[in-house]
Amino acid sequence: MEITEIISRFKIDGEPSEIKQLTAGNINRTYRVRIGERKYILQNINVNVFHDPDALMNNIIGVCEHLRSKLPAGADPLRETMNFIDARDGRHYFVDEDGKYWRMYVYIDAISYQSITKPGLFYKAGKAFGRFQSMLADYPAETLAETIPNFHNTPSRFEDFRKAVENCRLPERLSESKELIDALLSREKLAHIATDAIASGEMPLRVTHNDTKLNNILMDKDTEEGLCVIDLDTVMPGSVLYDFGDAIRFGASTAAEDEPDVSKIALDTALFDEFTLGFLEGTNGALNSCELSLLPEGALLLTYEQAMRFLGDYLNGDTYFKIDYPEHNLVRARAQVTLLFDIEKKLPELHGIVEKYIKENH
Ligand code: GN1
Ligand code: MG
């Protein structure tokens, strides 16, 4: 179906004067659309990844309403929360004749960053994700559907990875990945950090974002304050380690998550420091001592998990992540493993940073 036809199925008057495909995101296809004075985002929900788009949209609408109710006086709800447009049939999405699911929301004129380009920016990112977490602290988590079952269940990710290795039908890919595979399989113990703490009752389940890449925060163009956290498809009950850890994995690395030159990849401890400060301010005393003491392990865990996900996808024949070239998932996995090694090395230093801020607050 033509894009213009799809757009016409949403409750917006007027004809689009500009449609532009945006390239960010590894999962969904996204367009920016101008209609009259206003811009919108039109997004094709990837149903191979999100099997229940109806439940997914109900999650998001509920979470957005809750966030809106928490905005301080004077905040602009059109910029500080996502505003979805219903389809003409009253649903939160439109299904086209090919069975594709589409949603639309009001475009927010702001910046999102792929990497940290100046001091202070990652502090603001930490604050935005921390605040997101605390604004949802009283959200009824039991009403949230699990949009991707076991999304950050690392032991289950480890099993998936092991199976991808075992069942791989691409011998060349298997042999060129051998070193990475060995590094990942030998670290099975890591996979249990969060799930064990949750099972013991020491680590609470919270409503978490679960995809806290830097580029999922829209920031004000002038002040660079975090305006709105986007990409809410994976908001589900989870551990704070997932949100903290994934943000560090992506944002505190000295290189992109798919950097081919591994000599450029390390964990920037100054960025870790900034983010930690912002995150602790944003969560505003809500984290318990178990959560605080394991924050650095969160970074380790999520980097480990992401390495297994990228490499597993490579061994499975690239069925999940969008790729730009055939070796893309291998390059991504190698980058993540490089970062993982560096985080392992710096773990004591990272604990020192977290402890410094805990002491300052007591
Ligand atoms: C995907 O769609 P995007 O780019 O925000 C993925 C994340 C990964 C990330 C790696 C639903 O996120 O879990 O960490 O790629 N989202 C899903 O770049 O799998
Ligand atoms: Mg995203």
Side-chain angles (χ1 to χ4, degrees):
M1 197 178 255
E2 292 277 326
I3 293 288
T4 46
E5 172 68 16
I6 293 165
I7 295 167
S8 74
R9 302 305 181 91
F10 286 86
K11 289 183 182 165
I12 309 172
D13 294 329
E15 298 286 317
S17 56
E18 187 190 271
I19 301 172
K20 185 173 185 279
Q21 184 162 1
L22 306 182
T23 51
N26 289 334
I27 304 291
N28 298 318
R29 210 152 33 100
T30 306
Y31 300 84
R32 194 184 63 203
V33 179
R34 179 195 280 277
I35 301 174
E37 287 303 294
R38 196 159 261 176
K39 289 182 196 159
Y40 300 87
I41 292 290
L42 171 72
Q43 200 165 44
N44 172 219
I45 305 173
N46 184 337
V47 288
N48 293 324
V49 170
F50 299 105
H51 299 299
D52 189 348
D54 192 54
L56 174 136
M57 286 310 294
N58 286 334
N59 271 8
I60 297 184
I61 298 285
V63 164
C64 287
E65 269 169 22
H66 190 85
L67 291 171
R68 206 168 299 125
S69 76
K70 298 269 163 156
L71 287 180
D76 179 355
L78 276 180
R79 299 188 75 213
E80 296 183 41
T81 49
M82 298 177 82
N83 291 271
F84 286 84
I85 313 290
D86 281 345
R88 295 204 185 271
D89 64 9
R91 291 189 290 184
H92 301 310
Y93 50 82
F94 166 67
V95 189
D96 72 14
E97 58 207 10
D98 303 323
K100 287 199 177 117
Y101 282 69
W102 298 89
R103 64 181 168 205
M104 274 190 99
Y105 53 93
V106 176
Y107 173 78
I108 300 173
D109 192 15
I111 315 184
S112 79
Y113 289 89
Q114 295 303 327
S115 66
I116 297 295
T117 50
K118 53 191 110 171
L121 199 60
F122 208 34
Y123 161 78
K124 289 175 177 169
K127 225 168 138 175
F129 280 136
R131 226 178 116 232
F132 180 84
Q133 170 93 210
S134 59
M135 285 166 100
L136 290 171
D138 59 344
Y139 192 79
E142 67 285 355
T143 63
L144 284 174
E146 219 181 339
T147 55
I148 301 181
N150 293 322
F151 190 56
H152 286 312
N153 181 335
T154 327
S156 134
R157 292 286 187 187
F158 181 87
E159 275 317 303
D160 292 347
F161 178 65
R162 214 180 38 76
K163 280 186 210 139
V165 174
E166 235 171 66
N167 304 332
C168 180
R169 299 216 189 105
L170 305 159
E172 264 174 37
R173 288 194 168 196
L174 203 54
S175 63
E176 66 189 328
S177 313
K178 177 142 190 348
E179 264 178 55
L180 296 178
I181 293 173
D182 291 346
L184 293 171
L185 289 181
S186 69
R187 282 169 171 75
E188 180 177 5
K189 242 176 73 192
L190 277 185
H192 298 269
I193 297 173
T195 40
D196 281 1
I198 291 170
S200 75
E202 286 172 281
M203 173 92 59
L205 276 182
R206 301 179 179 276
V207 175
T208 46
H209 181 281
N210 297 308
D211 185 13
T212 47
K213 302 202 297 193
L214 177 65
N215 57 15
N216 282 331
I217 309 174
L218 300 183
M219 292 171 153
D220 185 277
K221 279 184 178 159
D222 300 322
T223 65
E224 278 159 354
E225 292 295 336
L227 270 181
C228 183
V229 172
I230 57 167
D231 205 350
L232 305 179
D233 295 330
T234 51
V235 173
M236 284 178 275
S239 158
V240 70
L241 300 196
Y242 306 154
D243 280 5
F244 182 85
D246 202 45
I248 295 296
R249 173 191 75 77
F250 188 86
S253 171
T254 52
E257 71 174 1
D258 59 354
E259 171 59 55
D261 178 357
V262 294
S263 71
K264 293 187 179 155
I265 303 171
L267 183 87
D268 184 330
T269 51
L271 287 180
F272 180 92
D273 189 308
E274 266 190 35
F275 186 88
T276 302
L277 176 62
F279 195 75
L280 294 180
E281 281 180 16
T283 47
N284 200 15
L287 307 187
N288 75 16
S289 58
C290 171
E291 292 174 300
L292 289 169
S293 69
L294 285 176
L295 286 178
E297 275 75 9
L300 196 67
L301 183 68
L302 271 281
T303 308
Y304 179 53
E305 180 188 294
Q306 193 66 61
M308 291 193 288
R309 292 178 64 196
F310 283 147
L311 195 56
D313 197 34
Y314 186 65
L315 298 174
N316 286 335
D318 308 315
T319 57
Y320 189 88
F321 294 105
K322 282 195 257 166
I323 51 165
D324 296 336
Y325 53 93
E327 309 281 292
H328 204 164
N329 273 319
L330 176 65
V331 167
R332 286 166 169 157
R334 192 175 290 129
Q336 297 301 299
V337 170
T338 309
L339 184 63
L340 175 69
F341 291 169
D342 200 48
I343 298 177
E344 280 181 339
K345 220 169 60 196
K346 291 175 176 159
L347 210 53
E349 195 183 337
L350 305 184
H351 277 285
I353 293 169
V354 174
E355 272 154 32
K356 173 181 77 179
Y357 288 126
I358 297 173
K359 279 204 194 102
E360 277 177 18
N361 283 321
H362 286 286

